[in-house]
Amino acid sequence: MPDLPSLETLLAVVTTGSLNAAAGELGITQQAVSARMRALEATLGISLLTRSPTGTAPTEAGILVSEWADRLLGLASEFDAGLAALRRERRDELRLAASLTVAEHLLPQWLVSFGQSVEHAPKVSFTATNSEHACELVRSGDVELGFVEGPQVAPGVRSRVVAHDTLVLVVPPGHPWTRRRTAVSADELARTPLVTRESGSGTRLFLDTMLAAAHDPDMSRAQPVLELSTTAAVRSAVIAGAGPAVVSDLSVRDDLGRRLIAVPVSGLDLRRALRAVWIGGDEPRAGAARDFLTHVTRSAGRP
């Protein structure tokens, strides 16, 4: 197949009737036009033009090829315009998924500051879910960018640390642990029925990973007393006396010292990374997602 510039040059020669006029129309030299025509004729194996002192005229084959070239160049222009429209649409839309901790306590402020930092803020839609499902939405292409809390991400997904938080063990006022003088050990925490998030939650996966590494493997792990789908439900269950819970400090800051008491834990490092996840290269392919990730990386506070 000949390249598009060669076909464009042929069409210009046929339309203007001379190499020199075609060169002027295309903004190149006459020598360049001649070279393109010779290369095109060599590629196709047919004569396209007849040259004379009065000008340049197409052969019968040249007329036919120029008609085909006209249709092909029109389709190429339509193709290019369509791609440009798709790029504008993707830049004008930002589709996100975020684990509940990020969605409730960090994402809103990131979106506000991002909207204030750009001339034309994209239309934003986001799904608040657990970390496992956020990764699934990214892998399926339903969203361009996700934010998760777990200690690891799904295979094939790229990630970048954008913030940190710390998990805290909380109980209601009056719980026996509020009167103890020593921290709760990893083994004791593992043996205690907790109020937890559902399977797939980044918070639960992180805690399970930390406890598996720290507590005595010969001791059995207590089953959760409740498994709930939102952090707000976990917080309410603890306040109601259902049992202790380990949650992000971001989600209980307003309750600590009043409706909830933080209990020290020993033998566990409960500080964790919060990550952005996407599919592709070093950055998301979609322009709005790439711009938003850059903004978050530069400006996000890291508690």
Side-chain angles (χ1 to χ4, degrees):
M1 285 290 293
D3 58 77
L4 294 181
S6 296
L7 295 178
E8 185 181 22
T9 303
L10 171 65
L11 196 59
V13 172
V14 172
T15 302
T16 62
S18 78
L19 299 179
N20 187 51
E25 182 175 295
L26 297 173
I28 58 178
T29 66
Q30 181 176 334
Q31 291 77 7
V33 171
S34 296
R36 285 185 183 180
M37 290 300 91
R38 287 194 299 270
L40 181 57
E41 289 177 324
T43 298
L44 300 179
I46 54 177
S47 176
L48 300 172
L49 303 171
T50 58
R51 298 159 181 85
S52 69
T54 59
T56 303
T59 63
E60 290 186 6
I63 293 174
L64 186 59
V65 171
S66 67
E67 291 174 352
W68 293 339
D70 189 27
R71 295 202 297 270
L72 183 59
L73 290 168
L75 288 173
S77 178
E78 182 181 339
F79 179 77
D80 186 56
L83 286 180
L86 284 176
R87 286 192 293 267
R88 286 194 300 271
E89 180 181 336
R90 295 298 291 272
R91 185 168 289 277
D92 291 341
E93 183 181 13
L94 178 58
R95 298 179 300 169
L96 306 171
S99 60
L100 290 183
T101 297
V102 177
E104 294 174 354
H105 304 286
L106 294 175
L107 191 57
Q109 67 192 49
W110 291 346
L111 288 171
V112 170
S113 62
F114 177 64
Q116 295 171 342
S117 71
V118 295
E119 184 175 355
H120 301 291
K123 176 184 176 182
V124 178
S125 62
F126 77 85
T127 301
T129 182
N130 61 42
S131 293
E132 184 178 275
H133 189 222
C135 279
E136 290 175 1
L137 291 174
V138 169
R139 294 181 68 181
S140 66
D142 291 330
V143 302
E144 293 90 12
L145 186 63
F147 295 92
V148 299
E149 310 160 12
Q152 57 191 21
V153 297
V157 175
R158 303 297 297 270
S159 72
R160 178 185 302 173
V161 174
V162 295
H164 292 86
D165 73 341
T166 302
L167 300 187
V168 292
L169 172 62
V170 293
V171 296
H175 189 279
W177 282 356
T178 63
R179 298 186 294 272
R180 62 185 294 157
R181 297 182 179 181
T182 59
V184 175
S185 68
D187 285 341
E188 188 174 2
L189 188 61
R191 296 194 303 269
T192 300
L194 300 174
V195 180
T196 70
R197 287 282 309 282
E198 80 287 1
S199 179
S201 157
T203 296
R204 178 167 176 177
L205 178 58
F206 181 85
L207 178 62
D208 288 346
T209 301
M210 294 300 101
L211 285 175
H215 89 286
D216 189 338
D218 294 331
M219 296 181 180
S220 60
R221 174 83 185 277
Q223 294 298 310
V225 65
L226 283 176
E227 294 180 273
L228 303 171
S229 60
T230 68
T231 304
V234 171
R235 185 174 65 245
S236 296
V238 175
I239 292 172
V246 177
V247 294
S248 169
D249 62 345
L250 297 174
S251 66
V252 294
R253 281 180 176 175
D254 294 339
D255 295 309
L256 291 179
R258 301 186 300 111
R259 296 190 296 174
L260 292 172
I261 305 298
V263 179
V265 177
S266 64
L268 290 177
D269 181 3
L270 295 179
R271 189 170 186 264
R272 65 177 178 174
L274 306 177
R275 298 176 178 272
V277 294
W278 66 93
I279 292 291
D282 293 338
E283 292 183 327
R285 289 188 291 266
R290 184 169 59 250
D291 294 344
F292 184 62
L293 177 58
T294 298
H295 174 79
V296 169
T297 302
R298 290 175 178 172
S299 63
R302 297 187 174 177

